[in-house]
Amino acid sequence: RPQGPRRFKLAPPARLWHAKDAVRFRALLLPVALSALGCKRGAEADAAAAASASAASPSAGAMPALPARRERWRAPEGPALGVIGGQANVYAGPSPESRRLGYLRLGAIVRRDPEPAGRAGCPGAWYKIEPRGYVCAGGDDATIDPNHPVLKAAEGLKPDLGSALPYRYGFVRAVTPLYLKVPSKDEQTAAEFKLKEHLDTWNEKAKELNQVTLGSYDVPVDERGVPFVGKRVGEVPRPSIGWGQGELFGASGEDDPIPFWLEGGRKIPNVSDFKVPPYAVFADRARRHTGLAFAGSFATGPESLNRRFAITTDLRLAPTSKVKPDTGSPWHGIELIDPQKSPPLPFAWVRTSEAKAYKFEPQSDRPQPKGALEKRSIVMLTGKKRSGRDGWYWEMKNGLYLKAPEAGVVRPPDEWPDAAKKGHKWVEVSIENQTLTLWEGQRPVYATLVSTGQDGLGDPKTTKSTVRGVFTIKSKHLTATMDSNERSGAGGGRRPEVTAAADDRPARGGQGEGKGNDKAADAKGAKGGAPKGDPGAKGGAPKGDGGAKGGGDKAPKGGEGEGRDKDYGVTRRRGEGSFWLRDVPYVQYFEAGYALHVAYWHDVFGVARSHGCINLSPIDGRWVFQWTEPRAPAGWHGVTSGPESGEGTTIVVHE
């Protein structure tokens, strides 16, 4: 489409395709597509989604309707089983020796058979659950008592699969204890270094410090999770920039009360992986830059310094004055449902803000710049390349050229894999182009920009490069915790220096993956919940965590708030060093420790920057997770591919 020099600064105007054009043309197709796919709305859609959770995959473009939002989840009618520990594994038979099919996480409730199926290897009894598998109930992980206090306390922990991100997220700006109960003024003063200075800064700059920008929650999407046509980021009923602090941290409003299980002290045991004595006030500290997931928050009164506390997914409390809320990237790819209407292949996204269009004069290999190209706009290609003095260039349909390293090219492969020849679904990832394309057979379905390993085409055994080859998805996790190098115990196998378990079993609750990378993760708590020998037991900050000098809330260079680096979260990841990224969404392992997953901590998709995994934006990550096999049944947190669940979708990663 002619866009003119105003948008692309080209002379003369070029016939180019911009990403916004995909939004415009889809308006013409959406009513027809929804009708053809039988999409439903409201309660009818929710019922259809639940009924089809374990059904066979639909055809390309026919994404299933997303499950209901968290606040609309209800416990199933009839006999049920609930998870009261970090997680409860689901096995193919009533025995821990049988094949593991997946797992349920803290707070999950599923239907079960009324009678036990056996007791072997179980402290209580095995129960068959819907739609398949057996879970051991009666120990520390699962119960059949619907009134169990931990199950009641965890009612609000279910992931919100109707939103771009399953929880609310934030990044720790200053070392903070993760409290087990609502702490008193004295307990906070003893546990947090220079608390008065921190609160003085917070009270003065609270609005500025916790302000968010439009992000993934603000992209208008249809029931399938595909962005609405003709609407911009922020055109939603309640944009996140207008949310209060309560909602930014998972509350339904600003006045959510203190949960019943915290009234008058903690009324349930500590269910986090970090074990401390029963008298402990907090269980571990979260260091700077740690990414945390939240499922609720509440304000307190003068007895607790009037602070707001956010509830983590393992029922610990983080003071929100020390956590910067984040809404994730609003970036997303485009649906390719109709070759006649969508941008025809080949096309490319402009991947850098410095990109220009070039013209080659006859008999010259030195191209001349002819105008700037807008970052992440789409340009139409002829499919031809030519060399210049400084490298390769792609020819655009307007006769100009784009440097190959600045182009995220989407085109048919030179050779079709077996999955394509058989008409199956498959995922294609190009490291050179930083693109991901979903295919059904030889028909493209969806395409987007991603971020693969930062060392490009290096050796994955010795560098931070993404492994190449033909793989299948081995396991899928709604969320899994990773360390700052994107390593996790959830995926099995290991990449260089990975210390995570190699058996594809996430640590309980998904909160302890990679256990052993952080010495504090295995330490027993001293009084106050601090690791033994940690000066935090006396109210100080952990050694080496940077909070002991200059005040507890002042962010270091590259941090949030004061001293913010302009590149923070743009060309640099939010936080650098050793820390956790809790509840990384929509994780799909395809080879040892390599996975497709959402990266809620950056917005540089189209640039290689991961430690080996394939990073997607929240909108894209959820889309891909819903599209691939195997499907996670309703209420499950993770599923493993196999005869019972279905074989995993093929993934082809190439140069």
Side-chain angles (χ1 to χ4, degrees):
R1 260 179 215 199
Q3 297 299 329
R6 180 184 66 81
R7 177 172 290 177
F8 291 102
K9 302 178 183 177
L10 288 174
R15 185 175 178 79
L16 302 175
W17 187 287
H18 190 275
K20 294 176 182 176
D21 294 326
V23 171
R24 297 189 187 103
F25 83 76
R26 207 154 49 221
L28 303 175
L29 296 178
L30 186 60
V32 177
L34 289 176
S35 175
L37 298 174
C39 291
K40 305 174 181 66
R41 297 185 181 276
E44 187 182 1
D46 296 339
S52 63
S54 60
S57 169
S59 61
M63 282 288 296
L66 294 171
R69 293 179 181 272
R70 182 171 62 239
E71 61 270 22
R72 294 168 58 190
W73 279 62
R74 294 291 183 269
E77 296 180 1
L81 178 145
V83 181
I84 56 174
Q87 77 176 49
N89 289 329
V90 182
Y91 294 95
S95 166
E97 304 303 318
S98 61
R99 174 179 168 79
R100 196 180 77 115
L101 305 182
Y103 62 97
L104 315 174
R105 204 165 76 154
L106 178 65
I109 302 174
V110 295
R111 285 183 59 86
R112 64 170 174 85
D113 282 358
E115 299 300 326
R119 301 182 185 276
C122 176
W126 292 93
Y127 287 88
K128 189 176 188 303
I129 66 168
E130 293 186 359
R132 58 182 173 270
Y134 297 81
V135 175
C136 171
D140 295 331
D141 295 330
T143 181
I144 59 173
D145 176 9
N147 297 312
H148 193 286
V150 173
L151 197 59
K152 288 289 187 181
E155 281 182 342
L157 298 183
K158 296 178 179 63
D160 185 356
L161 301 182
S163 181
L165 291 168
Y167 302 106
R168 298 290 188 251
Y169 288 85
F171 293 88
V172 176
R173 63 157 58 86
V175 178
T176 183
L178 294 174
Y179 291 102
L180 292 172
K181 66 172 202 171
V182 180
S184 68
K185 174 183 176 180
D186 290 342
E187 288 167 337
Q188 293 177 61
T189 301
E192 299 182 53
F193 185 74
K194 289 194 174 182
L195 181 59
K196 183 181 183 303
E197 290 89 336
H198 163 74
L199 291 179
D200 287 345
T201 300
W202 170 253
N203 291 331
E204 179 184 351
K205 300 181 178 181
K207 186 174 181 180
E208 173 189 343
L209 291 174
N210 271 14
Q211 181 62 45
V212 297
T213 58
L214 292 174
S216 61
Y217 302 118
D218 303 301
V219 178
V221 297
D222 64 23
E223 290 174 329
R224 301 172 301 140
V226 176
F228 269 120
V229 177
K231 292 189 177 183
R232 297 173 305 216
V233 175
E235 287 190 56
V236 294
R238 297 187 62 253
S240 63
I241 55 175
W243 294 357
Q245 291 299 299
E247 193 170 358
L248 285 171
F249 288 100
S252 58
E254 297 306 288
D255 301 322
D256 280 17
I258 295 175
F260 79 89
W261 51 276
L262 290 170
E263 292 177 345
R266 189 178 179 100
K267 297 179 180 178
I268 61 172
N270 170 28
V271 293
S272 76
D273 263 2
F274 195 89
K275 301 308 177 186
V276 292
Y279 55 79
V281 175
F282 62 92
D284 201 9
R285 283 185 171 86
R287 64 184 59 191
R288 280 191 174 114
H289 314 310
T290 293
L292 295 176
F294 304 106
S297 71
F298 57 89
T300 62
E303 68 284 354
S304 295
L305 298 173
N306 297 307
R307 298 176 88 182
R308 175 175 289 277
F309 291 89
I311 304 170
T312 67
T313 54
D314 58 5
L315 301 179
R316 289 183 285 181
L317 306 177
T320 60
S321 63
K322 290 192 171 181
V323 181
K324 168 73 173 178
D326 200 286
T327 55
S329 168
W331 164 254
H332 58 82
I334 58 173
E335 194 175 17
L336 304 172
I337 58 175
D338 189 333
Q340 302 302 317
K341 301 290 185 179
S342 57
L345 276 57
F347 67 84
W349 275 286
V350 178
R351 292 200 284 141
T352 71
S353 56
E354 298 80 21
K356 294 180 176 62
Y358 294 88
K359 183 177 181 180
F360 279 91
E361 299 295 340
Q363 310 302 318
S364 173
D365 63 354
R366 191 190 298 273
Q368 300 301 311
K370 292 297 180 181
L373 294 172
E374 184 179 349
K375 183 180 178 181
R376 288 181 175 169
S377 61
I378 290 179
V379 296
M380 306 311 301
L381 303 177
T382 65
K384 298 178 181 178
K385 291 174 71 175
R386 67 161 296 172
S387 62
R389 180 162 296 188
D390 57 349
W392 288 95
Y393 289 74
W394 283 100
E395 183 183 40
M396 297 187 286
K397 286 190 175 180
N398 64 349
L400 301 179
Y401 288 82
L402 172 64
K403 286 184 177 180
E406 297 175 341
V409 180
V410 179
R411 65 188 183 95
D414 294 329
E415 182 177 347
W416 294 101
D418 289 342
K421 296 174 183 177
K422 295 176 181 177
H424 296 167
K425 287 181 174 183
W426 60 288
V427 180
E428 179 188 21
V429 177
S430 169
I431 294 175
E432 202 170 66
N433 291 293
Q434 294 296 294
T435 55
L436 175 147
T437 308
L438 305 182
W439 297 84
E440 185 173 79
Q442 299 180 18
R443 183 166 72 118
V445 175
Y446 192 89
T448 190
L449 293 172
V450 296
S451 291
T452 65
Q454 63 185 252
D455 290 326
L457 297 171
D459 184 353
K461 294 180 180 179
T462 58
T463 68
K464 296 172 183 175
S465 300
T466 301
V467 64
R468 300 186 292 279
V470 180
F471 313 95
T472 58
I473 292 175
K474 300 184 184 305
S475 65
K476 296 172 64 173
H477 311 259
L478 288 180
T479 66
T481 291
M482 297 181 175
D483 68 9
S484 53
N485 293 318
E486 298 183 5
R487 299 177 299 199
S488 171
R494 39 180 92 214
R495 296 204 302 275
E497 301 179 3
V498 170
T499 59
D503 60 359
D504 193 31
R505 288 179 294 180
R508 291 177 57 184
Q511 299 302 318
E513 291 90 7
K515 200 170 184 180
N517 290 339
D518 187 346
K519 293 180 181 179
D522 289 323
K524 295 295 182 182
K527 186 174 182 180
K532 289 181 179 178
D534 192 322
K538 298 179 181 178
K543 291 180 178 178
D545 273 347
K549 191 173 183 179
D553 192 49
K554 187 168 183 180
K557 185 178 180 182
E560 300 288 0
E562 299 136 317
R564 181 187 176 103
D565 189 301
K566 65 183 177 62
D567 296 325
Y568 189 65
V570 180
T571 58
R572 298 175 56 207
R573 89 189 293 126
R574 292 188 177 103
E576 294 175 340
S578 178
F579 53 91
W580 293 111
L581 296 165
R582 303 286 187 185
D583 283 295
V584 174
Y586 303 118
V587 181
Q588 306 185 69
Y589 282 97
F590 58 88
E591 172 68 10
Y594 297 89
L596 298 163
H597 65 77
V598 163
Y600 58 77
W601 50 88
H602 75 74
D603 186 20
V604 293
F605 304 101
V607 177
R609 57 153 300 137
S610 81
H611 284 243
C613 287
I614 299 166
N615 291 179
L616 297 104
S617 73
I619 298 291
D620 292 336
R622 183 179 62 175
W623 219 108
V624 176
F625 191 88
Q626 295 286 78
W627 186 81
T628 58
E629 302 293 343
R631 298 289 176 84
W636 292 35
H637 204 82
V639 63
T640 303
S641 63
E644 300 88 353
S645 305
E647 295 303 319
T649 299
T650 296
I651 296 182
V652 179
V653 184
H654 61 81
E655 180 179 330

